[in-house]
Amino acid sequence: MITETTKQPFYKDISLRTKLDEIASFFLSFNGYKHPSSIMGGDLGVAIFLAKYGKYAQNEQYINKAVEIVSNCFDHIEQRFVPGSFCNGLAGVGWGLRYMISNNLLEGDIDALTQGLEDVIYKNSLQLLEKGEYDYMHMGSGGLLYALENPGSETSNYLEKAIDTLAKTATQSDEFCFWQHDPSGRIAHMATKTPSYNLGLSHGIPSLIVLLSHVYATGQVDEQCKELVRKSINWLLSVKLPKGYNSIYASMVSEERPDIASRLGWCYGDPGIAMALLQAGSIFNEPEWTTEGRKLLVHSAERRGLEPNMIRDATICHGTSGLAQIFYRGWSMTQAPSLLEASDYWLNQTLEMANRPEGYCGYQASRRDGYENVYSVLEGVAGIGLVFLNRLEEDAPNWDRMLLIS
């Protein structure tokens, strides 16, 4: 089985600490907060970064700013409708609060603070899963990650229903199991005329493999989870690209879509699939899955350069900092030296990308028609700050569980 190291090496590059301090200071005077109840796309993710940085730097002003942001989040929830999803909704809010309080980043009674949230989260999740809309970030399965941190009878009931629903909405055979991507076409640019199957850790089948594996680890609905994971990994291993491509997997599988190599990133690409296989292999004690995941991640570590890998920014979602975090987490799980080397490479690329004067601390997120200033965890400077901080802390809590890589 994979064992994750508890003692992480201290990263001594002074430029990393200088840029981290700059990002943290930026948020103290920032006046552009506009997504109070979003953990990955807005303010609550910034609160996690500031609380962690404040504890690391032993500076109360950053912790106080985090408390202010959390307070604004509650005000927003009380006044407006907030969906139950993870990226921009209540599942992320509940998870984020539990993370901060359980890791002594903030003080509070977590059960009192999240009272009433789970009913909305679980109801919304089940409604979406019944429609086949399982997308981790924006649809139904994000409720599973919240549930993993929220033990209790209501959670047990929800998990049983959610796993049963996923079993019913899957296409299954004796050997394979897979789920159609976005049948309602809500992610319009990914919709096709024929069924498509998503291989991204952010939105696709690898996310379900991770979530189902961790549900299994709780001891609940274990046999059903095991069967779904086994069959879905069998299917995943059957849809590799032919030899000759830069990647092992495509981003999407569809009869209408030609074979296309995937980018290198967290959202889509081989590294996310590798992390799903590594976690499932460890949890189920399946050496073949672990070996497959390690080989895939090591292969990904050999891919260097921005343009060949379709990388245009430093963001976690599809940029250099996300790769630095994945390879670092993969190294901590496997101790493969090439993964630490790859993490360092992409970390240095992230530092070098702070070269846009109009950006926040020199960083901007890539868009189809140019670049944009973004402050969030997923596509902005808060996420870059978390990755930097993760390398400087000697004992960093697993904030990247929200990315499904730990």
Side-chain angles (χ1 to χ4, degrees), residues 25-56:
S25 297
F26 162 80
F27 280 114
L28 289 182
S29 58
F30 182 60
N31 58 9
Y33 295 104
K34 55 184 177 181
H35 301 293
S37 56
S38 174
I39 187 173
M40 299 179 84
D43 304 3
L44 192 63
V46 176
I48 290 176
F49 166 67
L50 289 172
K52 285 175 61 62
Y53 178 84
K55 185 176 180 180
Y56 165 74

PDB file of all heavy atoms in Angstrom, residues 25-56:
ATOM      1  N   SER A  25      -0.069  39.786   1.326  1.00  0.00           N
ATOM      2  CA  SER A  25      -0.256  41.222   1.557  1.00  0.00           C
ATOM      3  C   SER A  25      -1.290  41.801   0.590  1.00  0.00           C
ATOM      4  O   SER A  25      -2.071  42.685   0.961  1.00  0.00           O
ATOM      5  CB  SER A  25       1.072  41.961   1.402  1.00  0.00           C
ATOM      6  OG  SER A  25       2.002  41.528   2.377  1.00  0.00           O
ATOM      7  N   PHE A  26      -1.282  41.307  -0.627  1.00  0.00           N
ATOM      8  CA  PHE A  26      -2.244  41.770  -1.628  1.00  0.00           C
ATOM      9  C   PHE A  26      -3.679  41.620  -1.132  1.00  0.00           C
ATOM     10  O   PHE A  26      -4.519  42.515  -1.315  1.00  0.00           O
ATOM     11  CB  PHE A  26      -2.033  40.989  -2.928  1.00  0.00           C
ATOM     12  CG  PHE A  26      -3.185  41.033  -3.883  1.00  0.00           C
ATOM     13  CD1 PHE A  26      -3.378  42.133  -4.707  1.00  0.00           C
ATOM     14  CD2 PHE A  26      -4.071  39.965  -3.986  1.00  0.00           C
ATOM     15  CE1 PHE A  26      -4.446  42.173  -5.603  1.00  0.00           C
ATOM     16  CE2 PHE A  26      -5.137  39.999  -4.876  1.00  0.00           C
ATOM     17  CZ  PHE A  26      -5.329  41.105  -5.683  1.00  0.00           C
ATOM     18  N   PHE A  27      -3.974  40.499  -0.484  1.00  0.00           N
ATOM     19  CA  PHE A  27      -5.350  40.242  -0.066  1.00  0.00           C
ATOM     20  C   PHE A  27      -5.801  41.104   1.112  1.00  0.00           C
ATOM     21  O   PHE A  27      -7.002  41.252   1.332  1.00  0.00           O
ATOM     22  CB  PHE A  27      -5.534  38.759   0.255  1.00  0.00           C
ATOM     23  CG  PHE A  27      -5.716  37.909  -0.968  1.00  0.00           C
ATOM     24  CD1 PHE A  27      -4.771  36.961  -1.327  1.00  0.00           C
ATOM     25  CD2 PHE A  27      -6.833  38.062  -1.775  1.00  0.00           C
ATOM     26  CE1 PHE A  27      -4.933  36.181  -2.460  1.00  0.00           C
ATOM     27  CE2 PHE A  27      -7.012  37.284  -2.913  1.00  0.00           C
ATOM     28  CZ  PHE A  27      -6.054  36.345  -3.252  1.00  0.00           C
ATOM     29  N   LEU A  28      -4.878  41.658   1.852  1.00  0.00           N
ATOM     30  CA  LEU A  28      -5.273  42.533   2.961  1.00  0.00           C
ATOM     31  C   LEU A  28      -5.907  43.825   2.456  1.00  0.00           C
ATOM     32  O   LEU A  28      -6.818  44.378   3.090  1.00  0.00           O
ATOM     33  CB  LEU A  28      -4.065  42.856   3.848  1.00  0.00           C
ATOM     34  CG  LEU A  28      -3.525  41.725   4.716  1.00  0.00           C
ATOM     35  CD1 LEU A  28      -2.371  42.233   5.567  1.00  0.00           C
ATOM     36  CD2 LEU A  28      -4.617  41.144   5.606  1.00  0.00           C
ATOM     37  N   SER A  29      -5.439  44.319   1.318  1.00  0.00           N
ATOM     38  CA  SER A  29      -5.958  45.581   0.783  1.00  0.00           C
ATOM     39  C   SER A  29      -6.869  45.380  -0.429  1.00  0.00           C
ATOM     40  O   SER A  29      -7.386  46.356  -0.982  1.00  0.00           O
ATOM     41  CB  SER A  29      -4.786  46.495   0.386  1.00  0.00           C
ATOM     42  OG  SER A  29      -3.941  45.860  -0.564  1.00  0.00           O
ATOM     43  N   PHE A  30      -7.062  44.146  -0.841  1.00  0.00           N
ATOM     44  CA  PHE A  30      -7.877  43.851  -2.013  1.00  0.00           C
ATOM     45  C   PHE A  30      -9.329  44.251  -1.761  1.00  0.00           C
ATOM     46  O   PHE A  30      -9.904  43.949  -0.714  1.00  0.00           O
ATOM     47  CB  PHE A  30      -7.792  42.351  -2.313  1.00  0.00           C
ATOM     48  CG  PHE A  30      -8.562  41.903  -3.526  1.00  0.00           C
ATOM     49  CD1 PHE A  30      -8.283  42.415  -4.775  1.00  0.00           C
ATOM     50  CD2 PHE A  30      -9.559  40.937  -3.404  1.00  0.00           C
ATOM     51  CE1 PHE A  30      -8.976  41.983  -5.899  1.00  0.00           C
ATOM     52  CE2 PHE A  30     -10.255  40.500  -4.516  1.00  0.00           C
ATOM     53  CZ  PHE A  30      -9.962  41.020  -5.768  1.00  0.00           C
ATOM     54  N   ASN A  31      -9.935  44.928  -2.736  1.00  0.00           N
ATOM     55  CA  ASN A  31     -11.336  45.362  -2.574  1.00  0.00           C
ATOM     56  C   ASN A  31     -12.246  44.797  -3.661  1.00  0.00           C
ATOM     57  O   ASN A  31     -13.316  45.345  -3.919  1.00  0.00           O
ATOM     58  CB  ASN A  31     -11.431  46.891  -2.561  1.00  0.00           C
ATOM     59  CG  ASN A  31     -10.879  47.531  -3.826  1.00  0.00           C
ATOM     60  OD1 ASN A  31     -10.571  46.841  -4.795  1.00  0.00           O
ATOM     61  ND2 ASN A  31     -10.742  48.848  -3.810  1.00  0.00           N
ATOM     62  N   GLY A  32     -11.818  43.706  -4.276  1.00  0.00           N
ATOM     63  CA  GLY A  32     -12.601  43.132  -5.360  1.00  0.00           C
ATOM     64  C   GLY A  32     -13.322  41.847  -5.014  1.00  0.00           C
ATOM     65  O   GLY A  32     -13.739  41.103  -5.918  1.00  0.00           O
ATOM     66  N   TYR A  33     -13.479  41.540  -3.720  1.00  0.00           N
ATOM     67  CA  TYR A  33     -14.191  40.326  -3.333  1.00  0.00           C
ATOM     68  C   TYR A  33     -15.629  40.387  -3.847  1.00  0.00           C
ATOM     69  O   TYR A  33     -16.339  41.358  -3.603  1.00  0.00           O
ATOM     70  CB  TYR A  33     -14.201  40.173  -1.810  1.00  0.00           C
ATOM     71  CG  TYR A  33     -12.838  39.957  -1.211  1.00  0.00           C
ATOM     72  CD1 TYR A  33     -12.172  40.994  -0.546  1.00  0.00           C
ATOM     73  CD2 TYR A  33     -12.198  38.734  -1.307  1.00  0.00           C
ATOM     74  CE1 TYR A  33     -10.916  40.808   0.018  1.00  0.00           C
ATOM     75  CE2 TYR A  33     -10.942  38.529  -0.754  1.00  0.00           C
ATOM     76  CZ  TYR A  33     -10.307  39.570  -0.099  1.00  0.00           C
ATOM     77  OH  TYR A  33      -9.063  39.368   0.450  1.00  0.00           O
ATOM     78  N   LYS A  34     -16.071  39.330  -4.531  1.00  0.00           N
ATOM     79  CA  LYS A  34     -17.417  39.375  -5.106  1.00  0.00           C
ATOM     80  C   LYS A  34     -18.126  38.020  -5.157  1.00  0.00           C
ATOM     81  O   LYS A  34     -19.222  37.919  -5.695  1.00  0.00           O
ATOM     82  CB  LYS A  34     -17.361  39.967  -6.516  1.00  0.00           C
ATOM     83  CG  LYS A  34     -16.407  39.262  -7.467  1.00  0.00           C
ATOM     84  CD  LYS A  34     -16.354  40.002  -8.807  1.00  0.00           C
ATOM     85  CE  LYS A  34     -15.349  39.344  -9.753  1.00  0.00           C
ATOM     86  NZ  LYS A  34     -15.259  40.066 -11.047  1.00  0.00           N
ATOM     87  N   HIS A  35     -17.511  36.974  -4.594  1.00  0.00           N
ATOM     88  CA  HIS A  35     -18.151  35.654  -4.564  1.00  0.00           C
ATOM     89  C   HIS A  35     -18.064  35.090  -3.146  1.00  0.00           C
ATOM     90  O   HIS A  35     -17.272  34.185  -2.875  1.00  0.00           O
ATOM     91  CB  HIS A  35     -17.483  34.709  -5.562  1.00  0.00           C
ATOM     92  CG  HIS A  35     -17.524  35.193  -6.985  1.00  0.00           C
ATOM     93  ND1 HIS A  35     -18.701  35.300  -7.692  1.00  0.00           N
ATOM     94  CD2 HIS A  35     -16.540  35.619  -7.820  1.00  0.00           C
ATOM     95  CE1 HIS A  35     -18.441  35.753  -8.908  1.00  0.00           C
ATOM     96  NE2 HIS A  35     -17.138  35.962  -9.001  1.00  0.00           N
ATOM     97  N   PRO A  36     -18.874  35.586  -2.222  1.00  0.00           N
ATOM     98  CA  PRO A  36     -18.725  35.270  -0.787  1.00  0.00           C
ATOM     99  C   PRO A  36     -18.838  33.792  -0.446  1.00  0.00           C
ATOM    100  O   PRO A  36     -18.175  33.327   0.482  1.00  0.00           O
ATOM    101  CB  PRO A  36     -19.858  36.070  -0.132  1.00  0.00           C
ATOM    102  CG  PRO A  36     -20.183  37.156  -1.104  1.00  0.00           C
ATOM    103  CD  PRO A  36     -19.953  36.564  -2.458  1.00  0.00           C
ATOM    104  N   SER A  37     -19.678  33.049  -1.180  1.00  0.00           N
ATOM    105  CA  SER A  37     -19.944  31.660  -0.785  1.00  0.00           C
ATOM    106  C   SER A  37     -19.279  30.652  -1.707  1.00  0.00           C
ATOM    107  O   SER A  37     -19.747  29.524  -1.835  1.00  0.00           O
ATOM    108  CB  SER A  37     -21.457  31.406  -0.755  1.00  0.00           C
ATOM    109  OG  SER A  37     -22.048  31.715  -2.011  1.00  0.00           O
ATOM    110  N   SER A  38     -18.175  31.026  -2.330  1.00  0.00           N
ATOM    111  CA  SER A  38     -17.472  30.117  -3.235  1.00  0.00           C
ATOM    112  C   SER A  38     -16.105  29.758  -2.680  1.00  0.00           C
ATOM    113  O   SER A  38     -15.287  30.634  -2.407  1.00  0.00           O
ATOM    114  CB  SER A  38     -17.303  30.764  -4.621  1.00  0.00           C
ATOM    115  OG  SER A  38     -16.506  29.946  -5.449  1.00  0.00           O
ATOM    116  N   ILE A  39     -15.861  28.456  -2.534  1.00  0.00           N
ATOM    117  CA  ILE A  39     -14.567  28.011  -2.009  1.00  0.00           C
ATOM    118  C   ILE A  39     -13.508  27.930  -3.101  1.00  0.00           C
ATOM    119  O   ILE A  39     -12.342  28.268  -2.873  1.00  0.00           O
ATOM    120  CB  ILE A  39     -14.701  26.645  -1.296  1.00  0.00           C
ATOM    121  CG1 ILE A  39     -13.381  26.273  -0.598  1.00  0.00           C
ATOM    122  CG2 ILE A  39     -15.121  25.555  -2.270  1.00  0.00           C
ATOM    123  CD1 ILE A  39     -13.476  25.033   0.270  1.00  0.00           C
ATOM    124  N   MET A  40     -13.889  27.500  -4.297  1.00  0.00           N
ATOM    125  CA  MET A  40     -12.904  27.354  -5.358  1.00  0.00           C
ATOM    126  C   MET A  40     -12.870  28.560  -6.293  1.00  0.00           C
ATOM    127  O   MET A  40     -11.836  28.868  -6.879  1.00  0.00           O
ATOM    128  CB  MET A  40     -13.181  26.080  -6.170  1.00  0.00           C
ATOM    129  CG  MET A  40     -13.097  24.808  -5.340  1.00  0.00           C
ATOM    130  SD  MET A  40     -13.463  23.308  -6.290  1.00  0.00           S
ATOM    131  CE  MET A  40     -11.869  22.965  -7.020  1.00  0.00           C
ATOM    132  N   GLY A  41     -13.981  29.256  -6.407  1.00  0.00           N
ATOM    133  CA  GLY A  41     -14.065  30.372  -7.337  1.00  0.00           C
ATOM    134  C   GLY A  41     -14.186  31.732  -6.703  1.00  0.00           C
ATOM    135  O   GLY A  41     -14.425  32.721  -7.408  1.00  0.00           O
ATOM    136  N   GLY A  42     -14.001  31.819  -5.382  1.00  0.00           N
ATOM    137  CA  GLY A  42     -14.212  33.114  -4.750  1.00  0.00           C
ATOM    138  C   GLY A  42     -13.618  33.273  -3.370  1.00  0.00           C
ATOM    139  O   GLY A  42     -12.522  32.799  -3.071  1.00  0.00           O
ATOM    140  N   ASP A  43     -14.406  33.893  -2.493  1.00  0.00           N
ATOM    141  CA  ASP A  43     -13.886  34.460  -1.250  1.00  0.00           C
ATOM    142  C   ASP A  43     -13.503  33.425  -0.202  1.00  0.00           C
ATOM    143  O   ASP A  43     -12.501  33.598   0.504  1.00  0.00           O
ATOM    144  CB  ASP A  43     -14.928  35.419  -0.647  1.00  0.00           C
ATOM    145  CG  ASP A  43     -15.354  36.514  -1.601  1.00  0.00           C
ATOM    146  OD1 ASP A  43     -14.881  36.505  -2.762  1.00  0.00           O
ATOM    147  OD2 ASP A  43     -16.163  37.356  -1.212  1.00  0.00           O
ATOM    148  N   LEU A  44     -14.309  32.379  -0.051  1.00  0.00           N
ATOM    149  CA  LEU A  44     -14.035  31.430   1.033  1.00  0.00           C
ATOM    150  C   LEU A  44     -12.698  30.723   0.833  1.00  0.00           C
ATOM    151  O   LEU A  44     -11.998  30.419   1.801  1.00  0.00           O
ATOM    152  CB  LEU A  44     -15.167  30.405   1.137  1.00  0.00           C
ATOM    153  CG  LEU A  44     -15.131  29.552   2.415  1.00  0.00           C
ATOM    154  CD1 LEU A  44     -15.317  30.410   3.654  1.00  0.00           C
ATOM    155  CD2 LEU A  44     -16.192  28.460   2.375  1.00  0.00           C
ATOM    156  N   GLY A  45     -12.325  30.470  -0.400  1.00  0.00           N
ATOM    157  CA  GLY A  45     -11.014  29.888  -0.663  1.00  0.00           C
ATOM    158  C   GLY A  45      -9.896  30.822  -0.250  1.00  0.00           C
ATOM    159  O   GLY A  45      -8.847  30.394   0.252  1.00  0.00           O
ATOM    160  N   VAL A  46     -10.109  32.136  -0.445  1.00  0.00           N
ATOM    161  CA  VAL A  46      -9.132  33.133   0.011  1.00  0.00           C
ATOM    162  C   VAL A  46      -9.010  33.084   1.528  1.00  0.00           C
ATOM    163  O   VAL A  46      -7.903  33.210   2.079  1.00  0.00           O
ATOM    164  CB  VAL A  46      -9.529  34.542  -0.460  1.00  0.00           C
ATOM    165  CG1 VAL A  46      -8.558  35.585   0.093  1.00  0.00           C
ATOM    166  CG2 VAL A  46      -9.565  34.613  -1.978  1.00  0.00           C
ATOM    167  N   ALA A  47     -10.147  32.898   2.218  1.00  0.00           N
ATOM    168  CA  ALA A  47     -10.120  32.818   3.678  1.00  0.00           C
ATOM    169  C   ALA A  47      -9.252  31.654   4.140  1.00  0.00           C
ATOM    170  O   ALA A  47      -8.501  31.776   5.121  1.00  0.00           O
ATOM    171  CB  ALA A  47     -11.541  32.668   4.223  1.00  0.00           C
ATOM    172  N   ILE A  48      -9.341  30.520   3.455  1.00  0.00           N
ATOM    173  CA  ILE A  48      -8.497  29.373   3.811  1.00  0.00           C
ATOM    174  C   ILE A  48      -7.029  29.743   3.634  1.00  0.00           C
ATOM    175  O   ILE A  48      -6.191  29.463   4.511  1.00  0.00           O
ATOM    176  CB  ILE A  48      -8.865  28.151   2.954  1.00  0.00           C
ATOM    177  CG1 ILE A  48     -10.251  27.627   3.355  1.00  0.00           C
ATOM    178  CG2 ILE A  48      -7.820  27.042   3.105  1.00  0.00           C
ATOM    179  CD1 ILE A  48     -10.742  26.474   2.510  1.00  0.00           C
ATOM    180  N   PHE A  49      -6.700  30.366   2.507  1.00  0.00           N
ATOM    181  CA  PHE A  49      -5.314  30.767   2.280  1.00  0.00           C
ATOM    182  C   PHE A  49      -4.831  31.733   3.363  1.00  0.00           C
ATOM    183  O   PHE A  49      -3.739  31.560   3.933  1.00  0.00           O
ATOM    184  CB  PHE A  49      -5.162  31.415   0.901  1.00  0.00           C
ATOM    185  CG  PHE A  49      -3.862  32.146   0.739  1.00  0.00           C
ATOM    186  CD1 PHE A  49      -2.662  31.454   0.713  1.00  0.00           C
ATOM    187  CD2 PHE A  49      -3.832  33.533   0.633  1.00  0.00           C
ATOM    188  CE1 PHE A  49      -1.448  32.131   0.583  1.00  0.00           C
ATOM    189  CE2 PHE A  49      -2.634  34.215   0.505  1.00  0.00           C
ATOM    190  CZ  PHE A  49      -1.433  33.513   0.482  1.00  0.00           C
ATOM    191  N   LEU A  50      -5.629  32.754   3.673  1.00  0.00           N
ATOM    192  CA  LEU A  50      -5.210  33.754   4.656  1.00  0.00           C
ATOM    193  C   LEU A  50      -5.084  33.164   6.054  1.00  0.00           C
ATOM    194  O   LEU A  50      -4.159  33.514   6.800  1.00  0.00           O
ATOM    195  CB  LEU A  50      -6.194  34.926   4.663  1.00  0.00           C
ATOM    196  CG  LEU A  50      -6.150  35.830   3.429  1.00  0.00           C
ATOM    197  CD1 LEU A  50      -7.294  36.828   3.466  1.00  0.00           C
ATOM    198  CD2 LEU A  50      -4.815  36.559   3.345  1.00  0.00           C
ATOM    199  N   ALA A  51      -6.008  32.285   6.430  1.00  0.00           N
ATOM    200  CA  ALA A  51      -5.924  31.659   7.749  1.00  0.00           C
ATOM    201  C   ALA A  51      -4.676  30.794   7.864  1.00  0.00           C
ATOM    202  O   ALA A  51      -3.974  30.805   8.886  1.00  0.00           O
ATOM    203  CB  ALA A  51      -7.179  30.831   8.006  1.00  0.00           C
ATOM    204  N   LYS A  52      -4.381  30.044   6.794  1.00  0.00           N
ATOM    205  CA  LYS A  52      -3.181  29.208   6.795  1.00  0.00           C
ATOM    206  C   LYS A  52      -1.916  30.066   6.814  1.00  0.00           C
ATOM    207  O   LYS A  52      -0.967  29.782   7.553  1.00  0.00           O
ATOM    208  CB  LYS A  52      -3.171  28.280   5.575  1.00  0.00           C
ATOM    209  CG  LYS A  52      -4.127  27.104   5.684  1.00  0.00           C
ATOM    210  CD  LYS A  52      -4.173  26.289   4.404  1.00  0.00           C
ATOM    211  CE  LYS A  52      -2.826  25.700   4.065  1.00  0.00           C
ATOM    212  NZ  LYS A  52      -2.334  24.764   5.091  1.00  0.00           N
ATOM    213  N   TYR A  53      -1.911  31.115   6.005  1.00  0.00           N
ATOM    214  CA  TYR A  53      -0.740  31.981   5.971  1.00  0.00           C
ATOM    215  C   TYR A  53      -0.550  32.692   7.313  1.00  0.00           C
ATOM    216  O   TYR A  53       0.581  32.802   7.809  1.00  0.00           O
ATOM    217  CB  TYR A  53      -0.867  33.022   4.860  1.00  0.00           C
ATOM    218  CG  TYR A  53       0.303  33.966   4.808  1.00  0.00           C
ATOM    219  CD1 TYR A  53       1.478  33.632   4.138  1.00  0.00           C
ATOM    220  CD2 TYR A  53       0.259  35.198   5.464  1.00  0.00           C
ATOM    221  CE1 TYR A  53       2.565  34.485   4.117  1.00  0.00           C
ATOM    222  CE2 TYR A  53       1.339  36.070   5.451  1.00  0.00           C
ATOM    223  CZ  TYR A  53       2.492  35.701   4.771  1.00  0.00           C
ATOM    224  OH  TYR A  53       3.571  36.554   4.766  1.00  0.00           O
ATOM    225  N   GLY A  54      -1.652  33.156   7.909  1.00  0.00           N
ATOM    226  CA  GLY A  54      -1.558  33.831   9.197  1.00  0.00           C
ATOM    227  C   GLY A  54      -0.971  32.940  10.272  1.00  0.00           C
ATOM    228  O   GLY A  54      -0.153  33.386  11.094  1.00  0.00           O
ATOM    229  N   LYS A  55      -1.361  31.667  10.270  1.00  0.00           N
ATOM    230  CA  LYS A  55      -0.804  30.720  11.227  1.00  0.00           C
ATOM    231  C   LYS A  55       0.665  30.463  10.935  1.00  0.00           C
ATOM    232  O   LYS A  55       1.498  30.411  11.849  1.00  0.00           O
ATOM    233  CB  LYS A  55      -1.597  29.418  11.182  1.00  0.00           C
ATOM    234  CG  LYS A  55      -1.169  28.396  12.231  1.00  0.00           C
ATOM    235  CD  LYS A  55      -2.066  27.168  12.188  1.00  0.00           C
ATOM    236  CE  LYS A  55      -1.645  26.146  13.248  1.00  0.00           C
ATOM    237  NZ  LYS A  55      -2.519  24.940  13.213  1.00  0.00           N
ATOM    238  N   TYR A  56       1.001  30.326   9.670  1.00  0.00           N
ATOM    239  CA  TYR A  56       2.384  30.072   9.266  1.00  0.00           C
ATOM    240  C   TYR A  56       3.289  31.259   9.618  1.00  0.00           C
ATOM    241  O   TYR A  56       4.390  31.086  10.154  1.00  0.00           O
ATOM    242  CB  TYR A  56       2.414  29.799   7.763  1.00  0.00           C
ATOM    243  CG  TYR A  56       3.788  29.864   7.142  1.00  0.00           C
ATOM    244  CD1 TYR A  56       4.715  28.853   7.350  1.00  0.00           C
ATOM    245  CD2 TYR A  56       4.148  30.948   6.328  1.00  0.00           C
ATOM    246  CE1 TYR A  56       5.977  28.909   6.768  1.00  0.00           C
ATOM    247  CE2 TYR A  56       5.403  31.008   5.748  1.00  0.00           C
ATOM    248  CZ  TYR A  56       6.310  29.996   5.976  1.00  0.00           C
ATOM    249  OH  TYR A  56       7.553  30.059   5.404  1.00  0.00           O
TER     250      TYR A  56
END
